[in-house]
Amino acid sequence: MSEVYGSWWWPYVMILVAGFLATECWRWIGVFASGKLREDSLLFAWVRAVATALIAGIIARLVLFPEGVLGDVPVWLRLAAVAGGVVGYKLLNDRLMAGIITAEFVLIGGWAFLI
Amino acid sequence: MTSSDMDIDEGEDPSEFEGGAYWFRQGAKGAFCLPTLILMMAFVGFTSLAREVGLTLTEVLLMSLFMWALPSIVVLTGAMSAGAGLIPAAIAVALSAVRLMPMTVALMPVLRDEKRTKTWHMLIVSHFVAVTAWVFAMRNLPSMPRAARLPFFAGFGSTVHFVVLCSTALSYIVLPAVEGPIAAGLVLLTPIYFMFSMYQASRTSGDRAALILGLILGPVFYHFFPGADLLLTGFVGGTVAFAGWLFATRRAEL
């Protein structure tokens, strides 16, 4: 990729500007925007709900429209893995590890079976 | 680094400093937990992708160190491998990182210890805001004394960051390219882990409604408004969930 723009320092400019500044600025804006916001206020509950829905949107995007190798897995198998994870999570009393292992088992097992 | 900050700032009150150093260490100990392990595995998945598209070890480590948000790192990797220009890449990354803003806004009131907390402390620890640390903090900090929260979070965040950087470097150097089902499994780790840990961190039925609405609205908005989909999902999903929760719990008062 660095040969595209030639110089050796180009990737570092990319990382500093398109990477560091483009992500870190949101954290700084967040610090200033939080101002005097109180933990027990309704505004705080709303901001938390927005943050939660945003992350949920990322989760859905990572599963349904993934880049790279996960995209080679059929979409029904990806959804089956997520569903299996939820079942495993609920069956074993809301245990994080149970959900993750079940989902991975369905995905890896299912795909290995298909190949 | 934050423990020495404490030294300077609260030097006039030695017991406070003691407390700060103690909670920083507690936070560092708390970093050796399942979420860190999962994050390490997710970064192993990323190094495999990064090597595939030809990123060097230095580039991988700088991205991890300076950005510290895996979905945005993946977006930048994609932009760099596609030879995108600086501005388009910056816009794509900034859009994927918008979520850090409401996350930070939601975390700061939990971290803040009234007037004792200085803004530049908050700016430094805000770097650790990413899903793993956020979920951990939202779950564990509210039960701690106010003075303990910032040093604990700084200890937790910096230790997780350091450990993940080390494991990322190690996996880039040592591990052969992961392929097939195992590689797909590593990539799936991030969303699956995000989903369950968000669910566990939810405090109210409103939070859970926001999670479910976001999962449903995300793909819909992605289809109709690509680019603005995450922001829309956050605002629409979050607001509807919040309004529903408010209506359900405060019906008597309204």
Side-chain angles (χ1 to χ4, degrees):
Chain A
M1 64 198 38
S2 43
E3 63 265 22
V4 174
Y5 287 94
S7 41
W8 62 268
W9 46 263
W10 178 251
Y12 301 107
V13 174
M14 286 287 277
I15 291 169
L16 195 71
V17 178
F20 177 68
L21 289 180
T23 45
E24 202 74 1
C25 70
W26 293 115
R27 296 178 170 119
W28 295 334
I29 292 170
V31 170
F32 290 112
S34 71
K36 298 271 175 279
L37 186 65
R38 288 183 56 87
E39 206 182 335
D40 49 12
S41 65
L42 280 179
L43 184 61
F44 175 75
W46 175 71
V47 171
R48 218 177 52 224
V50 170
T52 305
L54 237 163
I55 297 172
I58 291 182
I59 295 170
R61 187 200 263 188
L62 289 174
V63 172
L64 288 175
F65 315 103
E67 295 183 24
V69 65
L70 189 59
D72 300 339
V73 181
V75 67
W76 63 265
L77 183 56
R78 281 180 257 144
L79 290 174
V82 174
V86 172
V87 171
Y89 179 80
K90 279 292 167 199
L91 280 184
L92 286 157
N93 295 324
D94 289 15
R95 227 169 262 139
L96 191 74
M97 206 58 200
I100 291 171
I101 290 176
T102 327
E104 291 292 336
F105 182 78
V106 173
L107 184 91
I108 296 174
W111 202 27
F113 183 74
L114 283 179
I115 292 174
Chain B
M1 65 185 166
T2 313
S3 70
S4 58
D5 299 339
M6 294 285 166
D7 197 4
I8 301 159
D9 270 283
E10 302 181 11
E12 69 280 341
D13 191 347
S15 65
E16 273 292 291
F17 164 60
E18 258 299 303
Y22 171 77
W23 287 109
F24 186 89
R25 281 198 304 274
Q26 288 303 111
K29 278 184 202 159
F32 294 91
C33 58
L34 180 66
T36 310
L37 186 70
I38 293 167
L39 192 62
M40 283 163 69
M41 301 294 283
F43 268 86
V44 170
F46 160 64
T47 54
S48 167
L49 170 77
R51 262 198 317 207
E52 210 173 285
V53 304
L55 288 182
T56 65
L57 176 61
T58 319
E59 287 161 9
V60 166
L61 288 181
L62 285 177
M63 280 161 93
S64 311
L65 176 68
F66 283 128
M67 296 170 69
W68 195 234
L70 195 50
S72 304
I73 292 177
V74 173
V75 170
L76 182 62
T77 306
M80 285 172 77
S81 66
L86 189 64
I87 303 300
I91 291 172
V93 172
L95 280 175
S96 74
V98 174
R99 77 203 139 88
L100 296 171
M101 202 261 278
M103 285 167 72
T104 311
V105 175
L107 180 64
M108 290 302 134
V110 180
L111 277 182
R112 198 183 290 118
D113 184 15
E114 300 304 325
K115 290 192 177 60
R116 274 189 290 279
T117 310
K118 297 184 175 53
T119 303
W120 68 272
H121 282 172
M122 307 287 263
L123 287 173
I124 289 174
V125 298
S126 76
H127 179 65
F128 302 128
V129 173
V131 172
T132 303
W134 190 78
V135 167
F136 185 88
M138 297 301 264
R139 272 178 74 188
N140 296 293
L141 292 185
S143 60
M144 289 181 187
R146 288 238 157 232
R149 296 180 186 182
L150 190 94
F152 185 93
F153 183 71
F156 178 82
S158 54
T159 309
V160 172
H161 204 149
F162 181 72
V163 169
V164 169
L165 281 181
C166 292
S167 72
T168 303
L170 198 69
S171 77
Y172 186 97
I173 298 165
V174 176
L175 276 189
V178 191
E179 278 171 6
I182 301 293
L186 286 173
V187 179
L188 187 74
L189 263 181
T190 307
I192 287 288
Y193 163 69
F194 279 10
M195 189 173 77
F196 289 125
S197 54
M198 289 299 295
Y199 183 78
Q200 290 192 332
S202 60
R203 292 193 199 172
T204 63
S205 54
D207 289 346
R208 285 188 285 280
L211 181 63
I212 292 163
L213 274 175
L215 287 175
I216 297 166
L217 289 176
V220 176
F221 285 136
Y222 183 80
H223 186 74
F224 290 107
F225 312 100
D229 56 320
L230 287 182
L231 270 182
L232 277 170
T233 307
F235 275 101
V236 176
T239 307
V240 169
F242 170 75
W245 167 78
L246 196 65
F247 183 72
T249 51
R250 308 270 168 108
R251 198 161 17 187
E253 299 160 41
L254 290 171

